[in-house]
Amino acid sequence: MSITVLTGDIIESTKLNADLLEKVQRAIAETFSEISGWGTPARFSEYRGDGWQIAFENASLSLRAALIIRAKLRAIDRACDTRIAIAQGSGKLPEKIETTTDAAFVLSGRTLDQMQPAFRMASGNTPEMDAICILLDQIVSNWTSTQARTILPFLSPDDTPRQQDVAAQMGVSRQSIGKTLEAASYSYIIATLKLLEARQPHD
């Protein structure tokens, strides 16, 4: 069984007003709920006020889950963001992740602690995955709130929505959705995710 562990902390949480901080915390919790609906066991924990951890039994969707979290936060406000350390390992998902010392959890926490200040995403498993995280981080960090809101529904691992349906929900034209996705580098992101997910184990 493969386990993915995402460990993060909210960036400059003390500078966010109470309303924004609550929205950020809620968005991370909502992402956990979505992951739980992907047909895989998942666990969620918050700690130290601005820290959090999500673990689930699927290695292939690790980057997609991280990008969904980043998109949700940047959709709130460009001041809202989180660092995310990704680690994968084998084993069974523990009932309580707060006190576990399983290898994937330790690796994820250590990767977050050692993350370079300039970056907001990192992988603890391989240099190649870490390099992909760095490049994706550069793209995500340049998203506007509009771009984050627009790309978010297209990051779901379920069936890709039609642009005209998302446009109707957002009250804009389909052409506007297409241009915003292009500006957000959506085609490059989704191609990267599909390639990685096809090569990684799903259980």
Side-chain angles (χ1 to χ4, degrees):
M1 183 68 67
S2 59
I3 297 176
T4 287
V5 182
L6 307 180
T7 305
D9 54 18
I10 300 168
I11 294 173
E12 296 186 337
S13 60
T14 58
K15 295 183 179 180
L16 299 178
N17 62 47
D19 180 59
L20 279 180
L21 181 58
E22 181 182 358
K23 288 180 179 179
V24 167
Q25 293 169 328
R26 189 185 312 130
I28 295 171
E30 286 174 355
T31 305
F32 162 69
S33 297
E34 291 180 20
I35 291 171
S36 299
W38 293 351
T40 179
R43 304 284 187 271
F44 174 56
S45 177
E46 294 178 295
Y47 59 94
R48 296 199 307 263
D50 63 354
W52 57 271
Q53 193 167 67
I54 296 174
F56 54 99
E57 292 181 353
N58 191 316
S60 67
L61 297 176
S62 57
L63 264 177
R64 189 180 291 267
L67 289 175
I68 289 173
I69 293 172
R70 297 280 308 275
K72 279 182 176 287
L73 300 195
R74 295 189 70 82
I76 297 169
D77 189 285
R78 288 195 71 174
C80 300
D81 212 339
T82 183
R83 300 192 305 157
I84 303 178
I86 304 169
Q88 298 164 349
S90 59
K92 186 177 180 181
L93 191 66
E95 287 298 322
K96 294 184 178 181
I97 66 174
E98 294 87 349
T99 57
T100 186
T101 57
D102 289 358
F105 292 86
V106 173
L107 178 59
S108 183
R110 184 182 302 128
T111 301
L112 184 68
D113 290 339
Q114 297 175 349
M115 191 181 299
Q116 297 183 39
F119 302 141
R120 299 185 176 184
M121 288 175 62
S123 170
N125 288 96
T126 67
E128 292 80 9
M129 279 298 296
D130 200 31
I132 292 171
C133 283
I134 290 172
L135 290 173
L136 288 175
D137 176 43
Q138 174 63 22
I139 294 173
V140 173
S141 294
N142 286 316
W143 281 347
T144 65
S145 292
T146 298
Q147 288 170 347
R149 281 192 297 272
T150 302
I151 202 172
L152 187 53
F154 295 93
L155 293 176
S156 171
D158 300 326
D159 293 338
T160 303
R162 300 188 306 168
Q163 290 189 16
Q164 53 264 44
D165 293 336
V166 175
Q169 294 171 3
M170 298 184 66
V172 298
S173 68
R174 186 196 62 77
Q175 291 78 7
S176 176
I177 294 294
K179 289 180 180 179
T180 303
L181 289 175
E182 182 179 1
S185 299
Y186 168 72
S187 61
Y188 299 100
I189 291 171
I190 206 66
T192 300
L193 291 178
K194 287 182 176 180
L195 180 62
L196 292 173
E197 290 168 4
R199 294 182 175 181
Q200 291 182 325
H202 289 69
D203 56 22

